[in-house]
Amino acid sequence: MPEPMSESFPPAFLWGSATSAYQIEGAVREGGRTPSIWDTFSHQPGRTAGGDHGDTAVDHYHRYRDDVALMARLGLNAYRFSVSWPRVRPTGRGPAAQAGLDFYRRLVDELLSHGIKPAVTLYHWDLPQELEDAGGWPERDTALRFAEYAQLVGEALGDRVEQWITLNEPWCSAFLGYGSGVHAPGRTEPSAALRAAHHLNLGHGLATQALRSVLPAHRSIAVSLNSQVIRPLSQNPADLDAARRIDDLANGVFHGPLLKGAYPATLLEATSSVTDWSFVREGDLTDIRQPLDALGLNYYTPALVSSAENAPRGPRADGHGASAHSPWPGSDDVAFHQTPGDRTEMGWTIDPTGLYELIMRYSREAPGLALYVTENGAAYDDKPDPDGRVHDPERIAYLRAHLAEVRHAIADGADVRGYYLWSLMDNFEWAYGYGKRFGAVYVDYSSLERTPKSSAHWYARAARTGQLPPVDAV
């Protein structure tokens, strides 16, 4: 049973929020920045809702000081942001752009001056377009270029940043970008998706080595996985097999090589009709399995699967966007089902128990690694009231229920050291454009004015006290 609601979080627990560069920065042509795959993708007709793009986003590039001051007023003691690869190393190759690095130096200094611990994510999906033109993540060279970029950022910020994350949600980069095509670069090639997954793993390993070569001692290096909670529709052997196969594609394809130095044999067998995996070279798995200090877990909703034989034919209900092409190579005989329960504006079922399940799984599979919830949050149709205030009780209930499961996991022995709410503020939500609001801070997209929602004030109280206030506390 969960611990009583009055139980406090550990005193050193990090109460943070998270964002990513392309979703908030804007200023896509300033300081020598060159296009990323998301610049290209979002300007292609029909790729994003309403044709939205991140050219301006919420203009964090110019408003970062005000945004950091807002974080401080909300009592956050940690902030996870991503560095834009094409802002720091235009075209993905060559020397660093000092104007780009200087922006992140200023941002880090501003955070530290307000007592907020920065956590740097090196890759949150904005691959330089020139590297995609050369083949993108399905090509080995991209992993090599990523390691060089990681070293440049490590040299620039390593004296001030303690927490480092190589990749955010490599599953999305590989399987939504190169499999279903609902994310940039919009390719629909199952074999390329698996090659991309391997080279993202390799990029992580090489970048980890590069960071260790330049960072001071006692810096924390992690990766953030959107490891998924996969549940079978029934205990029928065919449904159990379907769940295991999807678990291999959602989780094992990354945590296998990252944590154990091998891809699951069942994954290799199930995808043998798609690829022979000959792109895995001798020494790759050793390079990938680098010692880590922490593991980031991103969680939103569980998945429910069965054998296609046990399900009527219909749209694929995996929560990852509509596409005629599957992000699950070699799994056309697996059906996805809507899980029961209330849903967010994304159509994702609200199930906090999945977060507890995920934490405890990795507490067992990665003993000795500190765990962080590096993303968790919900989109709702938030609107200001006549007085300009934004009340979002649904989000408060969502956050309270999920944080209670984090505390439950800590009580059961999991070494969870922080929680990063997704997201600090409303922003460009990838293919959904500006139509889905995940922020604790409301952004008026015409004026770019920021207004903390009720959930921001609730979360500030939780951060200040280390306890979970009642839902109606604000």
Side-chain angles (χ1 to χ4, degrees):
M1 294 293 292
E3 289 295 294
M5 286 303 178
S6 60
E7 184 77 10
S8 295
F9 281 79
F13 192 81
L14 293 181
W15 296 87
S17 64
T19 63
S20 84
Y22 189 71
Q23 291 180 275
I24 66 166
E25 284 183 1
V28 296
R29 298 174 187 86
E30 294 191 36
R33 182 189 181 279
T34 54
S36 75
I37 54 175
W38 271 97
D39 293 282
T40 302
F41 183 83
S42 63
H43 281 274
Q44 294 172 355
R47 291 294 200 177
T48 65
D52 290 343
H53 50 71
D55 286 9
T56 301
V58 297
D59 197 32
H60 175 72
Y61 184 84
H62 297 110
R63 299 167 186 253
Y64 72 92
R65 288 189 177 89
D66 291 339
D67 290 337
V68 172
L70 178 56
M71 293 179 221
R73 290 198 298 275
L74 294 175
L76 302 185
N77 59 19
Y79 175 56
R80 175 179 170 242
F81 64 92
S82 77
V83 172
S84 168
W85 188 347
R87 189 180 299 286
V88 162
R89 202 184 193 203
T91 77
R93 297 183 174 87
Q98 291 306 313
L101 287 175
D102 285 345
F103 168 69
Y104 295 107
R105 290 185 179 107
R106 293 192 300 270
L107 173 59
V108 167
D109 288 345
E110 196 72 16
L111 290 164
L112 292 173
S113 73
H114 285 81
I116 300 171
K117 180 176 289 189
V120 168
T121 301
L122 289 170
Y123 187 71
H124 199 132
W125 309 353
D126 49 356
L127 182 71
Q129 181 61 44
E130 287 81 355
L131 293 184
E132 173 58 30
D133 293 342
W137 282 111
E139 296 300 320
R140 172 172 295 264
D141 184 67
T142 303
L144 306 181
R145 303 289 80 77
F146 180 63
E148 295 170 352
Y149 153 70
Q151 182 168 332
L152 292 173
V153 181
E155 290 170 341
L157 303 179
D159 61 330
R160 284 159 288 180
V161 175
E162 296 179 3
Q163 292 190 303
W164 293 80
I165 296 167
T166 54
L167 306 172
N168 179 78
E169 298 188 353
W171 186 88
C172 294
S173 298
F175 295 103
L176 300 185
Y178 295 93
S180 66
V182 299
H183 278 192
R187 290 163 59 178
T188 54
E189 306 161 38
S191 63
L194 291 167
R195 293 199 310 274
H198 176 66
H199 293 133
L200 282 155
N201 284 333
L202 182 61
H204 156 80
L206 297 176
T208 298
Q209 295 176 62
L211 287 172
R212 295 229 186 267
S213 74
V214 298
L215 293 181
H218 310 300
R219 295 302 194 242
S220 172
I221 299 178
V223 62
S224 285
L225 303 177
N226 57 319
S227 296
Q228 300 182 45
V229 176
I230 311 296
R231 295 171 176 163
L233 182 66
S234 76
Q235 294 302 301
N236 180 303
D239 290 353
L240 292 172
D241 180 68
R244 179 195 52 74
R245 289 165 56 199
I246 296 302
D247 187 78
D248 280 347
L249 281 166
N251 302 317
V253 68
F254 296 108
H255 77 223
L258 291 172
L259 301 178
K260 303 173 184 177
Y263 288 101
T266 47
L267 169 69
L268 304 182
E269 179 183 357
T271 56
S272 60
S273 63
V274 179
T275 180
D276 61 5
W277 290 84
S278 59
F279 46 81
V280 180
R281 297 184 186 175
E282 184 176 356
D284 281 3
L285 292 169
T286 299
D287 281 332
I288 292 169
R289 190 189 185 188
Q290 294 298 308
L292 291 173
D293 302 290
L295 183 65
L297 301 175
N298 297 357
Y299 173 80
Y300 293 95
T301 190
L304 187 64
V305 303
S306 74
S307 164
E309 295 178 357
N310 298 336
R313 299 191 69 83
R316 186 178 58 255
D318 63 359
H320 295 296
S323 171
H325 302 273
S326 173
W328 307 100
S331 298
D332 290 341
D333 56 346
V334 174
F336 288 79
H337 303 264
Q338 288 277 12
T339 51
D342 294 336
R343 304 184 188 285
T344 69
E345 190 72 12
M346 296 290 288
W348 297 343
T349 302
I350 302 166
D351 188 345
T353 66
L355 180 54
Y356 173 84
E357 184 178 328
L358 189 66
I359 291 170
M360 298 311 295
R361 173 180 183 172
Y362 282 94
S363 186
R364 293 188 302 269
E365 295 198 7
L369 279 187
L371 301 177
Y372 293 85
V373 179
T374 40
E375 282 187 30
N376 177 240
Y380 289 104
D381 186 21
D382 305 312
K383 293 182 175 65
D385 68 13
D387 295 324
R389 296 173 299 187
V390 183
H391 298 287
D392 56 343
E394 300 93 348
R395 183 174 290 104
I396 294 174
Y398 180 101
L399 294 176
R400 191 177 195 279
H402 284 77
L403 279 161
E405 293 296 339
V406 174
R407 193 178 55 201
H408 180 191
I410 294 171
D412 284 352
D415 185 13
V416 186
R417 300 188 185 180
Y419 176 95
Y420 291 86
L421 183 157
W422 186 270
S423 176
L424 172 65
M425 54 189 159
D426 298 332
N427 53 48
F428 175 75
E429 187 49 45
W430 307 115
Y432 294 96
Y434 294 98
K436 306 296 183 186
R437 293 181 178 270
F438 275 89
V441 174
Y442 181 86
V443 177
D444 181 322
Y445 291 127
S446 59
S447 67
L448 298 181
E449 181 181 358
R450 279 85 154 131
T451 303
K453 304 173 188 178
S454 297
S455 60
H457 298 295
W458 181 93
Y459 190 63
R461 181 170 169 183
R464 185 174 64 254
T465 64
Q467 297 183 348
L468 302 181
V471 171
D472 59 357
V474 293

